[in-house]
Amino acid sequence: MSENNAAPAKAKGKRRLELDPRLAAYQGIWVFVEMERGRVHPVSWELLGEGRKLADILGVELAAVVLGGSGEAVEAASAEAFTYGADLARVVADPVLTEYRNEPYTKAMTDLVNRHQPEILLLGATTLGRDLAGSVATTLQTGLTADCTELAIDPDNRGLLATRPTFGGSLLCTIQTLNYRPQMATVRPRVMAMPEADPARTGRIVLEAFDLSEESIIAKVLEFIPDEAQEQAQLAYADIIVAGGRGLGKAENFQLIWDLAAVLGAEVGGSRPVTHAGWISADRQVGQSGKTVRPKLYIAVGISGAIQHRVGMEAADVIIAINNDPNAPIFDFATYGLVGDALRILPALTEAFRSRLAVNRLAS
């Protein structure tokens, strides 16, 4: 394991790790296609895009693993998986997989892995994905790197390089589980770029056998209750986010963030310190211990740019930083930076946007 603050790179004089010959038979990259009530979670397509890159480097096939109860739903998900880069789809369709439950999904996945021996297995770091990944890794007695921000292949040994924040987000750590198979990793939604779909791509659908009776499963689904959080802030899918940090001084000043967001039609976010201070609710926290976002525009006000926050928003297309400290780390990766008092800059910026948008509306 190596720790660094940059992308995985070949370290000078690093210890060479050799693959156990018994594991050489494991080949191919798998991505679990997360599906609930017929809807595929977008993180699955993001992972297929990343998996395509890794598969091309290794010269192996990329497979989508689709588990579900309805033949129509899994077939539709499989067909869409091909458009995002999958070469084949391993499909398990069985009534016991209609609703997610850990026991049957773990058995289905571990049976597939033991049968076909993939070298890498990727899952989304969602509530469902985390639950499944942990139990699958435990059952298979293999390694699992959670909440990764970058995936790469070690050119020396073809092993997976999985990078994630550690020590409270103060460092980035690159982890290898070379002598275990499959190498497993979870990635949070919006960390990886959404690949462009190619409707012309097709692939092979392989129907897999599965034997598990409903009577043998302990957990039963009695009722489906929609997530109340769906009405909360949806930072992960916002095009514009205005985020505030401790540099705003006090809770009352955070209203300036809300004012600018209202004019821009943006979501409001914040750093961990302001969330802990109660200035905003926890569902609006951006960072390693909060939400990972990928907006077209991210305006960071009074945020220093420590790694804990950076890993949650650095993939934004454009980052505008406002901070009175010219040496703040956020200026190292921001697209544009304004050094000055945010309490003076924000009202002026809000009014400028309001006036410009009003002119545009009149012109249209």
Side-chain angles (χ1 to χ4, degrees):
M1 181 175 73
S2 62
E3 295 172 357
N4 50 66
N5 286 309
K10 185 175 179 181
K12 284 188 176 181
K14 75 172 185 179
R15 181 167 59 92
R16 185 177 179 84
L17 301 173
E18 299 290 344
L19 177 65
D20 187 327
R22 294 172 297 177
L23 301 177
Y26 285 75
Q27 284 197 350
I29 296 178
W30 287 11
V31 171
F32 170 62
V33 176
E34 180 178 326
M35 183 168 56
E36 283 194 284
R37 305 185 75 79
R39 297 180 62 183
V40 175
H41 196 295
V43 71
S44 304
W45 309 143
E46 295 165 7
L47 285 177
L48 279 173
E50 195 67 17
R52 182 71 267 161
K53 299 174 189 176
L54 302 180
D56 289 343
I57 293 172
L58 292 174
V60 298
E61 286 191 314
L62 173 64
V65 179
V66 185
L67 311 179
S70 165
E72 290 184 4
V74 295
E75 286 177 14
S78 300
E80 194 168 3
F82 298 142
T83 71
Y84 286 106
D87 297 307
L88 72 153
R90 297 201 177 276
V91 175
V92 181
D94 192 283
V96 301
L97 301 173
T98 300
E99 301 281 0
Y100 175 76
R101 287 174 290 176
N102 182 274
E103 183 181 354
Y105 268 66
T106 297
K107 177 172 172 51
M109 183 66 79
T110 54
D111 284 355
L112 287 177
V113 168
N114 288 328
R115 194 179 304 157
H116 300 290
Q117 300 183 325
E119 55 194 303
I120 294 173
L121 173 57
L122 306 176
L123 303 91
T126 60
T127 302
L128 188 158
R130 286 170 171 156
D131 183 68
L132 179 61
S135 58
V136 169
T138 301
T139 303
L140 295 172
Q141 296 186 332
T142 189
L144 169 63
T145 307
D147 284 357
C148 297
T149 58
E150 185 174 352
L151 301 173
I153 299 296
D154 190 322
D156 290 339
N157 52 43
R158 293 170 55 91
L160 178 67
L161 296 169
T163 300
R164 71 177 308 277
T166 187
F167 292 110
S170 60
L171 291 174
L172 292 177
C173 178
T174 299
I175 299 172
Q176 279 190 284
T177 54
L178 185 64
N179 279 324
Y180 295 89
R181 288 293 185 274
Q183 302 161 96
M184 292 181 61
T186 63
V187 179
R188 291 202 293 183
R190 304 291 279 177
V191 168
M192 304 301 180
M194 176 68 74
E196 185 175 345
D198 180 1
R201 285 194 90 260
T202 59
R204 312 188 316 274
I205 294 181
V206 181
L207 299 178
E208 300 283 353
F210 182 59
D211 182 22
L212 186 65
S213 66
E214 180 63 44
E215 291 71 25
S216 65
I217 303 173
I218 296 175
K220 306 297 180 185
V221 178
L222 303 179
E223 182 183 3
F224 175 77
I225 302 174
D227 186 3
E228 294 180 356
Q230 64 184 355
E231 299 303 325
Q232 295 180 355
Q234 300 297 315
L235 288 177
Y237 301 100
D239 285 335
I240 304 175
I241 297 174
V242 183
R246 188 166 43 191
L248 287 166
K250 55 184 179 180
E252 290 79 4
N253 295 335
F254 211 88
Q255 183 59 45
L256 297 174
I257 299 292
W258 288 98
D259 293 342
L260 178 56
V263 170
L264 295 175
E267 280 280 12
V268 169
S271 61
R272 181 168 61 178
V274 300
T275 302
H276 288 181
W279 296 5
I280 56 172
S281 56
D283 62 304
R284 295 188 179 278
Q285 181 182 331
V286 176
Q288 172 62 17
S289 54
K291 297 289 192 303
T292 301
V293 299
R294 203 183 190 96
K296 295 177 181 177
L297 173 62
Y298 189 89
I299 302 176
V301 184
I303 296 175
S304 66
I307 289 180
Q308 203 281 340
H309 189 79
R310 177 175 180 172
V311 298
M313 47 68 76
E314 64 180 339
D317 291 347
V318 175
I319 299 171
I320 298 176
I322 302 173
N323 202 296
N324 62 5
D325 179 5
N327 298 313
I330 198 165
F331 289 127
D332 294 335
F333 58 93
T335 313
Y336 304 102
L338 294 173
V339 178
D341 183 359
L343 302 187
R344 297 179 60 187
I345 293 174
L346 276 177
L349 196 60
T350 300
E351 186 55 38
F353 275 122
R354 182 182 287 113
S355 300
R356 182 60 180 268
L357 291 171
V359 170
N360 290 346
R361 280 193 292 269
L362 288 174
S364 61

